[in-house]
Amino acid sequence: MITFNKRDGARLRRSYLMAAMAAASSLTSGVAVADTTVNVLRVEVSDAEKQYYNEVVAEYEARHPDVNVEFDYIANEAYKTRLPTLLQSDQRPDIFYSWGGEGLRDKVNAGFVRDLTEPMQEGWQVLYPDSAVSPFTLDGRIYGAPLYATVVGFWANTALTEQAGIDVEAIETWEQLENAVVTLREAGITPVVVGAKDGWPMHFYWGYLATRLAGGNGIEAAKAGEEGGFTNEDFVRAGEMLQEFAELDPFQSGFMTTTYERASGMFGDGEAALHLMGDWDYLPSKERSVSGEGVPDEDLAFIRFPEIPGGAGNAHSFGGMNGFAVTQGAPDEAIDFLRFLLNEDNQREAARRGIFVPVAKGSEEALMTPYARKVADILADSSFHQVFLDQALGTSVGATVNNISTDLAQGVITPEEAVERIAEAWQFR
């Protein structure tokens, strides 16, 4: 028979306690702490898109238990102003959302972006058409990978347009759009909602008009200082047309104090017949509405931006080529996760759910909604895709483009003054 005195019992209890604490500590650290953490910074998106990313991350982490991936989101306007600061801090993300173009060049020149040219040659770049990779290609080197393409067009509430006797699918020219605005006003319906407080939604008008008039070649010529640069008559005419449109009183009351997010929800609540916005607004507009359901699908349409007689860019589309870049100093696991996120299977799943129109070859076949298929058709028919001018021209010039667009809509500057400001910003960028 074995017996224990009180001292032996106390010692044994302490041994058991220490062993239990050690086991618990080991278990906790094994579950909660991975060898590598990859931080991804993304512009704010719909709940459905966040869920999609969560599922992609869960699958990747299951395959790579030593890697932890974390997504952070910042609202659109705040993202543009905060990203440069974050890239200079010790809170720099490993992967960040990018629209490519001169805005990306600014960050490359500052030494914040990792070169992806070599990784892209390892069976990655071939997944995408050249047009999708080109916005992330600077001086022959690749600094980002594409996620999806976006197209700006008019979202239409057909219940409201039909109430006014308008067939939105028949709107093909700018003059027909102006006539529709007048008809909607006469019917007591707010024609168009716009989040002008943020600048960039109003830039869609000036930017698309400039693209229709000058075309992609004209915009590239302006960047090169040719044909009068940004003071070319096509850019002046874009300003004139925006002001003529604004004089028709197309926008909601208080449009200059309305944010994009608010305008998106207002359209979802049926407060206006039209909303010039990217195709991405399908789900966010529903989620931001009071009901959470938005405009019913049977009353929803997405139409092309109207043509302008004689315009050099009538066959061109305008929107974004959106993707991700990897920061300098990020671990190799960041590149590996990005490649996984953007592979054909994951992009096909995003297409199937109607989250966005992906660019991986063949993934468009999985698109389910008529709006997404319409966007895919617009891109397929387009001979050139002009990236948003507030991104394509770089951060400082882009801010000027946004500012002159809202100023033109308010009539506080002339079209000639607007292009002089853009030309000056481009010269001193």
PDB file of all heavy atoms in Angstrom, residues 61 69-70 88 134 159 213 277 308-310 319 321 334 366-367 375 413:
ATOM      1  N   GLU A  61      -5.840  28.569 -45.805  1.00  0.00           N
ATOM      2  CA  GLU A  61      -5.242  28.273 -44.496  1.00  0.00           C
ATOM      3  C   GLU A  61      -5.302  26.784 -44.173  1.00  0.00           C
ATOM      4  O   GLU A  61      -4.407  26.255 -43.501  1.00  0.00           O
ATOM      5  CB  GLU A  61      -5.940  29.089 -43.411  1.00  0.00           C
ATOM      6  CG  GLU A  61      -5.633  30.573 -43.486  1.00  0.00           C
ATOM      7  CD  GLU A  61      -6.335  31.380 -42.411  1.00  0.00           C
ATOM      8  OE1 GLU A  61      -7.319  30.864 -41.824  1.00  0.00           O
ATOM      9  OE2 GLU A  61      -5.917  32.519 -42.149  1.00  0.00           O
ATOM     10  N   VAL A  69      -4.095  34.470 -42.872  1.00  0.00           N
ATOM     11  CA  VAL A  69      -4.411  35.566 -43.792  1.00  0.00           C
ATOM     12  C   VAL A  69      -5.516  36.420 -43.180  1.00  0.00           C
ATOM     13  O   VAL A  69      -6.551  35.905 -42.755  1.00  0.00           O
ATOM     14  CB  VAL A  69      -4.862  35.041 -45.170  1.00  0.00           C
ATOM     15  CG1 VAL A  69      -5.189  36.208 -46.105  1.00  0.00           C
ATOM     16  CG2 VAL A  69      -3.779  34.158 -45.781  1.00  0.00           C
ATOM     17  N   GLU A  70      -5.294  37.719 -43.135  1.00  0.00           N
ATOM     18  CA  GLU A  70      -6.271  38.634 -42.555  1.00  0.00           C
ATOM     19  C   GLU A  70      -6.613  39.743 -43.545  1.00  0.00           C
ATOM     20  O   GLU A  70      -5.718  40.394 -44.079  1.00  0.00           O
ATOM     21  CB  GLU A  70      -5.722  39.255 -41.256  1.00  0.00           C
ATOM     22  CG  GLU A  70      -5.447  38.228 -40.158  1.00  0.00           C
ATOM     23  CD  GLU A  70      -4.894  38.872 -38.892  1.00  0.00           C
ATOM     24  OE1 GLU A  70      -4.646  40.103 -38.924  1.00  0.00           O
ATOM     25  OE2 GLU A  70      -4.710  38.145 -37.901  1.00  0.00           O
ATOM     26  N   GLN A  88       3.885  53.886 -45.650  1.00  0.00           N
ATOM     27  CA  GLN A  88       5.102  54.450 -45.054  1.00  0.00           C
ATOM     28  C   GLN A  88       5.265  54.084 -43.582  1.00  0.00           C
ATOM     29  O   GLN A  88       6.235  54.488 -42.950  1.00  0.00           O
ATOM     30  CB  GLN A  88       5.072  55.975 -45.180  1.00  0.00           C
ATOM     31  CG  GLN A  88       5.030  56.484 -46.605  1.00  0.00           C
ATOM     32  CD  GLN A  88       4.904  57.982 -46.687  1.00  0.00           C
ATOM     33  OE1 GLN A  88       5.772  58.716 -46.233  1.00  0.00           O
ATOM     34  NE2 GLN A  88       3.811  58.467 -47.264  1.00  0.00           N
ATOM     35  N   SER A 134      -2.101  44.777 -68.457  1.00  0.00           N
ATOM     36  CA  SER A 134      -1.432  46.018 -68.885  1.00  0.00           C
ATOM     37  C   SER A 134      -1.549  47.165 -67.876  1.00  0.00           C
ATOM     38  O   SER A 134      -0.580  47.924 -67.720  1.00  0.00           O
ATOM     39  CB  SER A 134      -1.956  46.458 -70.254  1.00  0.00           C
ATOM     40  OG  SER A 134      -3.345  46.746 -70.205  1.00  0.00           O
ATOM     41  N   ALA A 159     -39.051  50.355 -63.350  1.00  0.00           N
ATOM     42  CA  ALA A 159     -40.402  50.665 -62.874  1.00  0.00           C
ATOM     43  C   ALA A 159     -40.637  52.173 -62.959  1.00  0.00           C
ATOM     44  O   ALA A 159     -41.742  52.625 -63.308  1.00  0.00           O
ATOM     45  CB  ALA A 159     -40.592  50.167 -61.445  1.00  0.00           C
ATOM     46  N   LEU A 213     -15.322  61.333 -76.634  1.00  0.00           N
ATOM     47  CA  LEU A 213     -14.926  62.353 -77.599  1.00  0.00           C
ATOM     48  C   LEU A 213     -13.505  62.146 -78.127  1.00  0.00           C
ATOM     49  O   LEU A 213     -13.266  62.163 -79.333  1.00  0.00           O
ATOM     50  CB  LEU A 213     -15.041  63.742 -76.959  1.00  0.00           C
ATOM     51  CG  LEU A 213     -16.473  64.241 -76.715  1.00  0.00           C
ATOM     52  CD1 LEU A 213     -16.468  65.367 -75.690  1.00  0.00           C
ATOM     53  CD2 LEU A 213     -17.094  64.705 -78.026  1.00  0.00           C
ATOM     54  N   MET A 277     -22.904  54.511 -62.425  1.00  0.00           N
ATOM     55  CA  MET A 277     -22.020  53.864 -61.459  1.00  0.00           C
ATOM     56  C   MET A 277     -21.462  52.596 -62.072  1.00  0.00           C
ATOM     57  O   MET A 277     -21.952  52.089 -63.080  1.00  0.00           O
ATOM     58  CB  MET A 277     -22.798  53.568 -60.177  1.00  0.00           C
ATOM     59  CG  MET A 277     -21.979  53.037 -59.010  1.00  0.00           C
ATOM     60  SD  MET A 277     -20.424  53.903 -58.668  1.00  0.00           S
ATOM     61  CE  MET A 277     -20.963  55.595 -58.383  1.00  0.00           C
ATOM     62  N   ILE A 308     -21.669  59.507 -78.648  1.00  0.00           N
ATOM     63  CA  ILE A 308     -21.686  60.899 -79.085  1.00  0.00           C
ATOM     64  C   ILE A 308     -21.376  60.905 -80.580  1.00  0.00           C
ATOM     65  O   ILE A 308     -20.341  60.366 -80.999  1.00  0.00           O
ATOM     66  CB  ILE A 308     -20.643  61.742 -78.329  1.00  0.00           C
ATOM     67  CG1 ILE A 308     -20.964  61.739 -76.829  1.00  0.00           C
ATOM     68  CG2 ILE A 308     -20.600  63.168 -78.869  1.00  0.00           C
ATOM     69  CD1 ILE A 308     -19.898  62.371 -75.972  1.00  0.00           C
ATOM     70  N   PRO A 309     -22.255  61.446 -81.401  1.00  0.00           N
ATOM     71  CA  PRO A 309     -22.010  61.448 -82.850  1.00  0.00           C
ATOM     72  C   PRO A 309     -20.610  61.977 -83.192  1.00  0.00           C
ATOM     73  O   PRO A 309     -20.203  63.044 -82.738  1.00  0.00           O
ATOM     74  CB  PRO A 309     -23.104  62.394 -83.380  1.00  0.00           C
ATOM     75  CG  PRO A 309     -24.211  62.262 -82.384  1.00  0.00           C
ATOM     76  CD  PRO A 309     -23.523  62.110 -81.051  1.00  0.00           C
ATOM     77  N   GLY A 310     -19.866  61.187 -83.945  1.00  0.00           N
ATOM     78  CA  GLY A 310     -18.529  61.580 -84.362  1.00  0.00           C
ATOM     79  C   GLY A 310     -17.443  61.360 -83.335  1.00  0.00           C
ATOM     80  O   GLY A 310     -16.269  61.648 -83.587  1.00  0.00           O
ATOM     81  N   GLY A 319     -13.916  52.317 -67.229  1.00  0.00           N
ATOM     82  CA  GLY A 319     -14.117  51.670 -65.934  1.00  0.00           C
ATOM     83  C   GLY A 319     -12.793  51.369 -65.269  1.00  0.00           C
ATOM     84  O   GLY A 319     -11.841  52.123 -65.403  1.00  0.00           O
ATOM     85  N   MET A 321      -9.724  48.405 -64.006  1.00  0.00           N
ATOM     86  CA  MET A 321      -9.121  47.082 -64.033  1.00  0.00           C
ATOM     87  C   MET A 321      -8.539  46.934 -62.638  1.00  0.00           C
ATOM     88  O   MET A 321      -7.516  47.528 -62.305  1.00  0.00           O
ATOM     89  CB  MET A 321      -8.052  46.962 -65.109  1.00  0.00           C
ATOM     90  CG  MET A 321      -7.602  45.538 -65.354  1.00  0.00           C
ATOM     91  SD  MET A 321      -8.943  44.431 -65.886  1.00  0.00           S
ATOM     92  CE  MET A 321      -9.266  45.042 -67.536  1.00  0.00           C
ATOM     93  N   ALA A 334       2.784  35.904 -49.238  1.00  0.00           N
ATOM     94  CA  ALA A 334       1.826  36.887 -49.760  1.00  0.00           C
ATOM     95  C   ALA A 334       1.613  36.666 -51.258  1.00  0.00           C
ATOM     96  O   ALA A 334       0.478  36.710 -51.749  1.00  0.00           O
ATOM     97  CB  ALA A 334       2.316  38.305 -49.492  1.00  0.00           C
ATOM     98  N   ALA A 366     -19.231  31.468 -66.208  1.00  0.00           N
ATOM     99  CA  ALA A 366     -20.001  31.146 -65.010  1.00  0.00           C
ATOM    100  C   ALA A 366     -20.925  32.286 -64.575  1.00  0.00           C
ATOM    101  O   ALA A 366     -21.666  32.141 -63.601  1.00  0.00           O
ATOM    102  CB  ALA A 366     -19.059  30.776 -63.863  1.00  0.00           C
ATOM    103  N   LEU A 367     -20.902  33.419 -65.273  1.00  0.00           N
ATOM    104  CA  LEU A 367     -21.740  34.555 -64.890  1.00  0.00           C
ATOM    105  C   LEU A 367     -23.216  34.169 -64.955  1.00  0.00           C
ATOM    106  O   LEU A 367     -23.672  33.594 -65.940  1.00  0.00           O
ATOM    107  CB  LEU A 367     -21.463  35.753 -65.797  1.00  0.00           C
ATOM    108  CG  LEU A 367     -20.063  36.370 -65.680  1.00  0.00           C
ATOM    109  CD1 LEU A 367     -19.825  37.379 -66.799  1.00  0.00           C
ATOM    110  CD2 LEU A 367     -19.891  37.052 -64.323  1.00  0.00           C
ATOM    111  N   VAL A 375     -22.268  43.355 -68.778  1.00  0.00           N
ATOM    112  CA  VAL A 375     -20.936  43.932 -68.602  1.00  0.00           C
ATOM    113  C   VAL A 375     -19.910  43.148 -69.411  1.00  0.00           C
ATOM    114  O   VAL A 375     -19.041  43.731 -70.072  1.00  0.00           O
ATOM    115  CB  VAL A 375     -20.552  43.948 -67.116  1.00  0.00           C
ATOM    116  CG1 VAL A 375     -19.087  44.335 -66.941  1.00  0.00           C
ATOM    117  CG2 VAL A 375     -21.436  44.923 -66.349  1.00  0.00           C
ATOM    118  N   ILE A 413     -16.789  76.947 -62.546  1.00  0.00           N
ATOM    119  CA  ILE A 413     -15.650  77.179 -63.431  1.00  0.00           C
ATOM    120  C   ILE A 413     -16.115  76.946 -64.864  1.00  0.00           C
ATOM    121  O   ILE A 413     -17.137  76.309 -65.111  1.00  0.00           O
ATOM    122  CB  ILE A 413     -14.446  76.251 -63.133  1.00  0.00           C
ATOM    123  CG1 ILE A 413     -14.832  74.774 -63.311  1.00  0.00           C
ATOM    124  CG2 ILE A 413     -13.885  76.502 -61.762  1.00  0.00           C
ATOM    125  CD1 ILE A 413     -13.646  73.830 -63.250  1.00  0.00           C
TER     126      ILE A 413
END
